[in-house]
Amino acid sequence: DTGVSQDPRHKITKRGQNVTFRCDPISEHNRLYWYRQTLGQGPEFLTYFQNEAQLEKSRLLSDRFSAERPKGSFSTLEIQRTEQGDSAMYLCASSPLGNNQPQHFGDGTRLSIL
Amino acid sequence: QKEVEQNSGPLSVPEGAIASLNCTYSDRGSQSFFWYRQYSGKSPELIMSIYSNGDKEDGRFTAQLNKASQYVSLLIRDSQPSDSATYLCAGGPAGTASKLTFGTGTRLQVTL
């Protein structure tokens, strides 16, 4: 069990650029989640996959955000035309199948928009 | 009204004392609850999960759930300076695995 891995750890980019983050879940965890956390707040749900299917997406999620999990293993989160308000920590979590399974988080990707 | 509410703190307790962290939730559909510890600049780390009314103990930690009052708490016995962190309360829906709704967290400071 190597834990949830996220890459990169830090990303600095100019406003208007596109960015892509990667998440590798704990092996054999079928469920994968993306959250966003800003300073002084708890993580906010973005989207959730079970295997390769995206089962839920936050209504707050702008159309500029897209996530994929093409083979049911790693996932990518892309933000197009980044804005200042996108600056945050992007957290990935995974859990096994089954009811009420706890989610385990990766170290996150910190995004800073200049 | 936020779905999961926590006092942001800081909550300051002396070393060796019991720290009591509280959380209320508004969605009666929430059935699973989790406490995460988050050190500054780090990601949340799972400490406890609780699904049924009553107490659940794990080492120095005890989680308490009261669904009638929509109240969750975390007790930390024999608090240590290394317990100083932000504690996040999260609730999830019943029966399936879906999004967690987090509170803003309570910052705990354990003083020497």
Side-chain angles (χ1 to χ4, degrees):
Chain A
D1 181 353
T2 58
V4 178
S5 177
Q6 292 188 245
D7 183 70
R9 294 292 307 280
H10 304 275
K11 179 69 176 179
I12 301 173
T13 192
K14 293 182 180 179
R15 183 166 53 93
Q17 297 296 304
N18 300 342
V19 295
T20 300
F21 310 140
R22 175 179 171 127
C23 171
D24 288 86
I26 293 172
S27 58
E28 299 180 355
H29 276 193
N30 298 87
R31 292 176 174 145
L32 186 148
Y33 309 81
W34 286 99
Y35 292 84
R36 176 173 61 191
Q37 186 176 26
T38 54
L39 194 63
Q41 301 297 314
E44 174 189 32
F45 171 78
L46 294 179
T47 190
Y48 147 58
F49 291 85
Q50 181 164 306
N51 300 314
E52 66 276 8
Q54 188 174 17
L55 297 187
E56 189 171 352
K57 188 175 176 181
S58 170
R59 287 172 292 175
L60 301 175
L61 202 60
S62 160
D63 289 344
R64 298 183 296 106
F65 288 70
S66 62
E68 294 183 342
R69 195 183 182 197
K71 296 183 179 180
S73 56
F74 73 92
S75 174
T76 58
L77 176 68
E78 181 182 17
I79 309 174
Q80 296 181 328
R81 306 181 302 282
T82 52
E83 301 174 355
Q84 291 281 355
D86 296 333
S87 294
M89 175 76 86
Y90 289 83
L91 294 163
C92 177
S94 69
S95 73
L97 289 175
N99 292 339
N100 302 321
Q101 294 292 328
Q103 298 175 23
H104 298 271
F105 285 84
D107 288 336
T109 294
R110 183 169 296 283
L111 174 64
S112 298
I113 307 298
L114 301 178
Chain B
Q1 180 188 7
K2 290 189 175 181
E3 292 185 33
V4 177
E5 296 210 39
Q6 297 181 255
N7 187 318
S8 61
L11 172 66
S12 184
V13 299
E15 184 178 5
I18 296 175
S20 178
L21 304 160
N22 305 313
C23 169
T24 59
Y25 61 96
S26 60
D27 183 2
R28 286 194 176 273
S30 296
Q31 295 291 317
S32 56
F33 299 90
F34 305 90
W35 283 98
Y36 287 84
R37 176 175 63 198
Q38 187 171 31
Y39 293 111
S40 181
K42 302 295 185 182
S43 64
E45 174 191 8
L46 180 69
I47 298 177
M48 293 283 289
S49 58
I50 187 165
Y51 314 113
S52 304
N53 278 328
D55 296 358
K56 179 181 178 183
E57 185 174 323
D58 184 0
R60 295 187 296 114
F61 300 98
T62 299
Q64 299 173 320
L65 173 60
N66 183 325
K67 292 182 180 179
S69 300
Q70 296 177 247
Y71 179 88
V72 192
S73 67
L74 179 70
L75 300 178
I76 306 175
R77 289 180 298 281
D78 189 23
S79 295
Q80 302 296 309
S82 58
D83 294 326
S84 298
T86 295
Y87 288 81
L88 296 162
C89 172
T96 63
S98 185
K99 68 177 184 179
L100 293 179
T101 300
F102 284 83
T104 55
T106 298
R107 188 156 64 91
L108 172 66
Q109 291 178 339
V110 180
T111 58
L112 296 173

